[in-house]
Amino acid sequence: MLPPVIARWFEARGWRLRTHQLAMLAAAEAGAHALLVADTGSGKTLAGFLPVLADAARAPGRRGLKAIYVSPLKALAADIERNLAGPVRSMGLPLRIESRTGDTGSERKARQRRDPPDILLTTPESLSLLLTFPDAQAALASLDTVIVDEIHALAPGKRGDLLALALARLQALSPRLRRVALSATVADPQALAAWLAPGADAGAVQLVRGEPGPAPVIRILVPDGRIPWAGHNGRHAAAGVVRLIERHRQTIVFVNTRAVAELVFRDLWAENRNGLAIGIHHGSLAPEARAKTEAALAAGRLRAVVATSSLDLGIDWGDVDLVVQMGAPKGAARLIQRTGRANHRLEVPSKAVIVPGSRFEYLEALAAVDAVGDGDLEAEPMRKGGLDVLAQHLAGCAAGAPFTADEMFAEVTTAAPYRDLPRGQFDRVLEMASSGGYALRAYERFRRIRKGPDGRWRIVHPRVATLHRANAGVIVEAPAVAVRLGRGRVLGTIEEWFASQLRIGDSFAFAGLTLEVTGHEEASILTRLSRRPASVPTYVGGRLPLATNLAERVRAMLANPACWQRMPSDVREWLELQRSLSELPTPDRLLLEQFPREGRHHLVLYGFEGRNAHQSLGMLLTKRMERMGLDPIGFVATDYALAVWSLAPVPDPQTLFLGDIAGAELRAWIESTPFLRRAFRDVAVVSGLVPRGEPGRPKRARSLSVSTDLIFEVLRRHEPDHLLLEAAWADAATRLTDVARLVALIDRARAHLTVKRLPRPSPLAIPLLLEVGRESVPGIDAETLLAELKPPEPGAPGSAAGATKP
């Protein structure tokens, strides 16, 4: 099936075509769309490109754009450019390969539209922008293939909406276009096949499965046989992690937030007595700093790098032979994805070590290892396409070429996220893109497209197209300011709220350095290097939610003492003590404990529904307790449990979950919090209603928030059914408050609640109390709490048959 020049290239390296690579060639011969699900290191990317290379070998004189490769990360596109160029040169194929991302210069982008490469490597955002240029239409008409890499990371979110709409536009420009997708971590292949296919027809996509490789080797690090009571980042094991780095060629140390990346980096350097080269990589760092780390890692100049999800997708980084996950991974699919960065070859098992930050995290880590072994990957549900994304797409299409509403509606509904979009809803989005909607139509600045006498929609003025291109994309970063070393080099950005707390003389950790604040400018914070330890906490960066399937596995483990024999002695004793003094959560019952401590009354609910759902429930419960006159003081939420404390006890905790708590009360609470305004700001920016700024002049975060807040109030007062308010509600309910899991938690509490009244805190409650102590009650210590835990006298509240002394 291969042209001789490619077959000889394989033979010269002693390689054979794998069955999935042959299957991808066969799918191309048949003109079929294809989804390849294959293990890391199995040659997925080559399998996706092989049909393109074979066509080039058979027809070397054919010029023009042949294939577009879409990656979730700019770094991944650059990595493919490096790794694909070598084989193409070795085969002598007449193919020009170029990348087009946010880091590509404007002159090169303009040249690519006039004289496109044979293979273009890009991101969803850059592809969408390419479609807004009239001179790109002719170049795209010759396109044969689109390859979507790491499809699982794109399809379920708004970037997936943007890409699905771009694919629909490309299909209209080049009807023969064939769609190909690649992934190593797919829980529901049929759902992804439907997302990939024109018209969401999963049957039109050939599912190709790769040859299986050896199972990954994943173990859990328990330094000195002890696991901390509380925590979430594994920093206690820094010395052990450095020893692991010393014993391996290259290591990627993954963390779950940008803030923790800075802390772990400093911890590792503090233990790095041999002076090994260790780098840091996350999304808040300047592009130049990230590129420097990537180049050093690829060239083998780094022994380790501390990274967030910025490096966890399918890049083949040099000689990496170990992955360390600091803190629990939060999902089996994420754990497989990150583990696959080590030993990026099919014949060699990938190797990873998890460093749990606490005892609850140890349970989660064990559940994740089991889930990987069982192939139980969490599947993110496919969602309806965002109306804000559609509004952006319509304005971009109008900038590229005029269209009729009927033509565009027919095209948009071939994209899977918009397959069921009602025509009336589409017309509302079109109206909003043209005037801003009923309440805003009097304002000229909201008019971006208009309908001409010929019935076609066009951009109202060329400057609107320029403004659109400067503001397109669906990633709305938290308001941020630049961090400058002196008045010169930008090291990266930090959240505006964090920067506003910093005073001159304060020091904080960033970019692997300790920086002292020397001044503030309009959009920057000025710093200098400091030798003193960081004096204020680091910035947040973002958090990952606990996957539902891991939560279910943890509950099952807690309820099955036979599983405890696999655990360290201190974790096992912790659970045995909990069983003797209280109860353990079970898969079919929701445990709620009540106990007094230091003049306060505590309520602890072990929901295992993730931090967002628990935080939302904490807000709702404290509101109810206020109305009941119970004087709630506060609450703390983790991925595993929620603790609420008050001056008066709750007489019957079951009543807290009755009534319309998940309906009108939830809605009223969301309306009273910043969640809805924050969600509206994001959808207003994504839709293009409020630009981030003029070309070359970004709008300050405060100014952007003021603009969106004013529009939010106008729409709430004069057009409460405006589609952007609907979109904001949808975002607030899913991304910010996790309403689906919150409602599931409330339903379980109504039907299956076990209330345990105790004279003192239980062992499972100790991690929650330590979280409380860290925020507002200094001096609480795990061992002090543990010393208080004595079995109650027989017949006392919380007594248990067969209880033993701790």
Side-chain angles (χ1 to χ4, degrees):
M1 297 178 70
L2 284 179
V5 64
I6 302 180
R8 287 194 297 270
W9 183 81
F10 271 86
E11 291 166 3
R13 283 153 183 77
W15 293 354
R16 64 172 178 84
L17 271 177
R18 301 191 185 276
T19 54
H20 56 273
Q21 293 171 332
L22 285 167
M24 294 295 282
L25 284 166
E29 289 287 332
H33 307 293
L35 168 61
L36 172 58
V37 180
D39 288 348
T40 294
S42 62
K44 282 194 309 296
T45 307
L46 183 58
F49 278 106
L50 264 181
V52 179
L53 304 185
D55 286 347
R58 294 188 188 106
R62 179 174 167 253
R63 304 303 301 164
L65 182 61
K66 301 171 180 63
I68 290 178
Y69 166 90
V70 183
S71 156
L73 297 177
K74 291 182 285 188
L76 186 50
D79 179 69
I80 297 299
E81 185 174 12
R82 285 193 302 268
N83 293 335
L84 187 61
V88 165
R89 282 194 302 270
S90 298
M91 296 174 191
L93 298 177
L95 292 173
R96 195 169 98 235
I97 305 167
E98 294 183 4
S99 61
R100 181 188 182 94
T101 69
D103 295 336
T104 305
S106 56
E107 289 186 10
R108 189 181 191 191
K109 287 180 178 178
R111 194 254 306 148
Q112 287 172 344
R113 299 196 303 271
R114 297 189 306 270
D115 179 23
D118 299 280
I119 297 175
L120 184 66
L121 313 172
T122 189
T123 61
E125 292 77 13
S126 290
L127 175 59
S128 183
L129 280 175
L130 181 60
L131 292 167
T132 69
F133 290 94
D135 59 352
Q137 307 285 326
L140 294 168
S142 66
L143 187 64
D144 292 323
T145 307
V146 170
I147 303 168
V148 180
D149 204 355
E150 307 290 1
I151 183 175
H152 69 280
L154 289 170
K158 287 192 177 185
R159 299 184 78 200
D161 296 346
L162 192 70
L163 178 56
L165 291 168
L167 292 176
R169 181 95 281 254
L170 289 174
Q171 200 83 47
L173 294 172
S174 180
R176 67 180 182 278
L177 180 69
R178 200 173 68 87
R179 306 183 185 188
V180 174
L182 316 172
S183 180
T185 50
V186 174
D188 187 353
Q190 288 303 309
L192 286 182
W195 183 91
L196 180 66
D201 178 13
V205 176
Q206 184 172 328
L207 177 61
V208 178
R209 291 195 177 273
E211 296 178 16
V217 177
I218 305 173
R219 67 182 183 91
I220 302 173
L221 181 64
V222 183
D224 304 319
R226 305 293 294 177
I227 301 289
W229 284 89
H232 58 84
N233 51 37
R235 294 176 58 203
H236 63 96
V241 173
V242 171
R243 304 294 87 76
L244 289 172
I245 293 170
E246 290 172 346
R247 295 198 298 267
H248 291 82
R249 296 187 301 274
Q250 279 191 315
T251 302
I252 299 181
V253 180
F254 280 113
V255 298
N256 292 339
T257 72
R258 299 172 186 180
V260 173
E262 295 287 347
L263 297 172
V264 168
F265 179 80
R266 293 176 59 83
D267 293 340
L268 296 184
W269 267 107
E271 300 288 343
N272 186 14
R273 297 180 178 87
N274 294 325
L276 303 178
I278 301 175
I280 187 170
H281 192 286
H282 59 71
S284 289
L285 298 178
E288 298 79 13
R290 296 198 303 270
K292 183 179 179 181
T293 298
E294 291 163 14
L297 185 60
R301 295 195 300 272
L302 288 178
R303 287 293 295 274
V305 62
V306 180
T308 59
S309 55
S310 59
L311 289 185
D312 71 1
L313 292 175
I315 302 177
D316 185 3
W317 289 117
D319 212 14
V320 172
D321 58 343
L322 177 68
V323 160
V324 175
Q325 167 64 46
M326 301 293 281
K330 302 303 170 189
R334 181 177 294 110
L335 178 58
I336 285 183
Q337 189 75 46
R338 291 181 168 181
T339 301
R341 300 312 102 223
N343 295 325
H344 202 91
R345 299 180 299 281
L346 187 62
E347 296 82 3
V348 182
S350 298
K351 189 164 69 170
V353 174
I354 305 174
V355 185
S358 66
R359 299 182 180 195
F360 271 120
E361 284 211 340
Y362 180 87
L363 300 177
E364 182 187 333
L366 196 57
V369 172
D370 289 349
V372 168
D374 295 340
D376 177 21
L377 307 184
E378 59 277 6
E380 282 200 59
M382 294 299 171
R383 42 185 286 286
K384 290 185 178 179
L387 300 180
D388 50 342
V389 182
L390 179 58
Q392 180 183 134
H393 178 72
L394 294 179
C397 287
F403 60 82
T404 69
D406 290 344
E407 291 169 348
M408 186 55 65
F409 177 71
E411 180 181 305
V412 162
T413 50
T414 66
Y418 300 91
R419 176 184 56 183
D420 300 321
L421 180 73
R423 177 58 190 261
Q425 194 81 312
F426 172 84
D427 290 338
R428 289 179 66 203
V429 176
L430 197 58
E431 169 64 20
M432 197 275 291
S434 66
S435 67
Y438 169 78
L440 303 175
R441 64 178 54 182
Y443 300 92
E444 185 71 28
R445 68 177 180 273
F446 297 121
R447 297 179 183 175
R448 289 173 287 159
I449 61 176
R450 66 179 172 215
K451 187 177 180 180
D454 60 354
R456 293 186 172 274
W457 291 85
R458 294 172 171 82
I459 207 82
V460 297
H461 192 277
R463 68 173 175 270
V464 174
T466 302
L467 187 64
H468 173 89
R469 292 175 190 129
N471 288 277
V474 298
I475 300 174
V476 183
E477 295 284 356
V481 299
V483 178
R484 291 185 180 275
L485 197 56
R487 293 182 177 273
R489 182 161 62 102
V490 174
L491 299 176
T493 59
I494 57 175
E495 288 91 344
E496 184 184 54
W497 70 265
F498 176 68
S500 68
Q501 300 177 49
L502 296 173
R503 302 290 178 261
I504 293 177
D506 285 346
S507 56
F508 65 102
F510 188 75
L513 308 169
T514 299
L515 303 175
E516 181 182 331
V517 179
T518 59
H520 296 265
E521 289 189 345
E522 183 177 353
S524 301
I525 183 167
L526 308 181
T527 68
R528 65 185 176 197
L529 296 178
S530 172
R531 294 183 180 275
R532 297 185 292 119
S535 61
V536 295
T538 190
Y539 65 107
V540 175
R543 289 181 175 138
L544 301 170
L546 172 68
T548 302
N549 65 329
L550 293 192
E552 292 170 351
R553 284 176 173 268
V554 170
R555 284 196 292 264
M557 258 192 289
L558 288 171
N560 182 9
C563 295
W564 303 354
Q565 300 309 311
R566 306 164 56 198
M567 302 175 186
S569 59
D570 59 338
V571 176
R572 189 168 60 248
E573 291 164 3
W574 176 53
L575 299 182
E576 290 169 348
L577 191 58
Q578 173 71 21
R579 181 173 58 172
S580 71
L581 298 179
S582 177
E583 289 189 14
L584 284 156
T586 63
D588 57 342
R589 300 294 299 178
L590 186 62
L591 176 63
L592 183 148
E593 294 176 336
Q594 283 185 290
F595 52 82
R597 178 172 171 79
E598 296 182 344
R600 302 177 182 186
H601 295 272
H602 291 74
L603 177 154
V604 179
L605 183 73
Y606 301 96
F608 296 93
E609 290 293 352
R611 186 184 300 269
N612 281 356
H614 291 160
Q615 283 182 328
S616 299
L617 181 60
M619 295 294 290
L620 291 172
L621 293 185
T622 51
K623 289 286 185 185
R624 278 205 160 187
M625 291 168 68
E626 283 176 7
R627 292 195 297 271
M628 296 166 68
L630 300 177
D631 297 322
I633 301 172
F635 72 90
V636 65
T638 68
D639 272 330
Y640 317 105
L642 164 69
V644 182
W645 54 99
S646 58
L647 294 180
V650 180
D652 181 6
Q654 187 91 45
T655 61
L656 292 176
F657 303 95
L658 301 180
D660 199 23
I661 187 171
E665 290 181 40
L666 174 61
R667 186 176 184 88
W669 168 65
I670 292 179
E671 286 182 338
S672 69
T673 67
F675 286 144
L676 191 58
R677 289 177 182 272
R678 174 180 162 192
F680 181 81
R681 181 202 69 195
D682 290 357
V683 299
V685 168
V686 168
S687 71
L689 187 73
V690 178
R692 295 177 176 92
E694 301 287 336
R697 292 192 310 169
K699 187 178 291 186
R700 290 194 65 191
R702 188 180 302 277
S703 175
L704 183 65
S705 295
V706 168
S707 298
T708 56
D709 283 352
L710 288 173
I711 296 170
F712 177 75
E713 291 299 335
V714 168
L715 295 182
R716 287 224 301 186
R717 190 175 303 117
H718 300 291
E719 195 178 353
D721 62 345
H722 193 282
L723 65 87
L724 286 189
L725 290 179
E726 293 178 16
W729 267 105
D731 270 18
T734 54
R735 186 166 54 89
L736 300 177
T737 58
D738 212 345
V739 164
R741 295 180 77 175
L742 171 62
V743 170
L745 181 57
I746 291 171
D747 288 344
R748 285 171 55 214
R750 286 173 173 167
H752 306 289
L753 187 68
T754 295
V755 177
K756 197 72 177 175
R757 290 181 173 86
L758 304 173
R760 55 186 62 81
S762 73
L764 284 191
I766 289 179
L768 272 293
L769 294 181
L770 292 177
E771 294 283 346
V772 174
R774 186 155 42 232
E775 294 185 4
S776 58
V777 191
I780 294 182
D781 158 271
E783 298 308 318
T784 300
L785 287 167
L786 187 61
E788 296 178 7
L789 299 182
K790 298 179 180 179
E793 296 298 324
S799 64
T804 58
K805 290 185 178 181

